[in-house]
Amino acid sequence: MGFFKCYDKKIIEEFAIRTISKSFDSKFSLYDSPEDTNNFDFISPNKKEAIEITTVIPENEMQAYIYEKELYCGKNNLNPNKISNVKLREDGTLYSYNGGSMYEIGQKILEIIKKKHEIAIKRKENTCIDIVDLCICMVDGSLYDINSFEIQFSDLLEESIFRNIFFITPSSFIKYNKQCGFEEYDRKI
């Protein structure tokens, strides 16, 4: 897989469902992706449970991705100044740059949960789905640990429609649900 495909919806969804099934519960490996793209991302064999998968990508990370993709595709006269604290190699490839702040990532998580909550309510009305889970893949989320999630999100997740909210970061796998709160599992990919 080329780096320019790393944010492809299909690749992220397959990565997420595989990680959830290996790290949390193997039943997720039986979920199927429906052909209807206006549906949940994966649905259980009994058609009663579903999961929605999404990503959180900080703005600077997205700018770096765009720069690398355009460079790879041969575009000339690229402007690396859109990338905060960028350092380039002699050939123009990225050497280093700033990631997103915890505040920015936290705000994006809250926006996504709210948006996916509304979408899940509408989708549930038109299906036989009883239970919905959400998975958030965090590209630049290694600064978050279970304590960070508890401090920032505990009170805010109580009202969501989701049974479980899974957070997959580059270094951890954390699950939230209303009964147990936040729990960390070994991240297996």
Side-chain angles (χ1 to χ4, degrees), residues 138-159:
M138 300 169 58
V139 173
D140 191 20
S142 289
L143 292 175
Y144 274 93
D145 62 8
I146 192 162
N147 295 322
S148 305
F149 281 104
E150 288 172 343
I151 290 167
Q152 192 164 7
F153 302 114
S154 282
D155 298 335
L156 304 171
L157 302 180
E158 286 292 321
E159 298 174 21

Side-chain angles (χ1 to χ4, degrees), residues 31-189:
Y31 280 37
D32 280 326
S33 181
E35 291 181 23
D36 177 6
T37 57
N38 288 325
N39 205 330
F40 293 105
D41 293 321
F42 290 92
I43 298 175
S44 66
N46 68 4
K47 309 286 190 237
K48 298 290 184 189
E49 299 177 34
I51 187 166
E52 189 67 18
I53 298 170
T54 190
T55 57
V56 168
I57 306 169
E59 183 59 31
N60 205 51
E61 182 74 30
M62 184 53 72
Q63 289 301 321
Y65 169 73
I66 291 167
Y67 176 89
E68 284 188 314
K69 184 175 179 180
E70 289 177 345
L71 182 68
Y72 180 83
C73 292
K75 187 172 179 182
N76 295 318
N77 301 321
L78 296 174
N79 182 4
N81 295 330
K82 293 180 180 179
I83 307 166
S84 175
N85 202 28
V86 67
K87 290 184 176 41
L88 302 176
R89 294 183 182 93
E90 285 185 29
D91 64 357
T93 58
L94 296 177
Y95 177 70
S96 67
Y97 55 90
N98 283 352
S101 70
M102 287 183 76
Y103 176 78
E104 177 190 10
I105 294 167
Q107 290 304 114
K108 286 185 176 280
I109 288 170
L110 294 174
E111 290 169 14
I112 283 175
I113 291 172
K114 183 178 178 181
K115 177 182 171 186
K116 294 296 183 176
H117 171 86
E118 297 300 324
I119 290 170
I121 288 172
K122 289 178 185 169
R123 287 182 178 162
K124 269 186 76 172
E125 291 172 355
N126 299 319
T127 65
C128 299
I129 301 294
D130 294 326
I131 298 169
V132 182
D133 293 318
L134 175 65
C135 177
I136 301 174
C137 296
M138 300 169 58
V139 173
D140 191 20
S142 289
L143 292 175
Y144 274 93
D145 62 8
I146 192 162
N147 295 322
S148 305
F149 281 104
E150 288 172 343
I151 290 167
Q152 192 164 7
F153 302 114
S154 282
D155 298 335
L156 304 171
L157 302 180
E158 286 292 321
E159 298 174 21
S160 79
I161 191 173
F162 304 109
R163 170 185 58 187
N164 295 306
I165 301 177
F166 302 105
F167 298 93
I168 302 174
T169 77
S171 58
S172 62
F173 179 88
I174 295 172
K175 175 190 68 96
Y176 171 82
N177 76 31
K178 294 171 189 160
Q179 288 75 38
C180 303
F182 286 95
E183 297 177 315
E184 187 165 9
Y185 297 81
D186 287 336
R187 188 185 83 130
K188 299 174 186 171
I189 54 175

Side-chain angles (χ1 to χ4, degrees), residues 2-20:
F3 69 86
F4 58 91
K5 293 183 180 178
C6 65
Y7 297 143
D8 179 84
K9 177 179 171 47
K10 187 162 182 60
I11 290 170
I12 288 172
E13 288 175 356
E14 289 173 5
F15 165 80
I17 202 75
R18 183 178 64 247
T19 303
I20 294 166

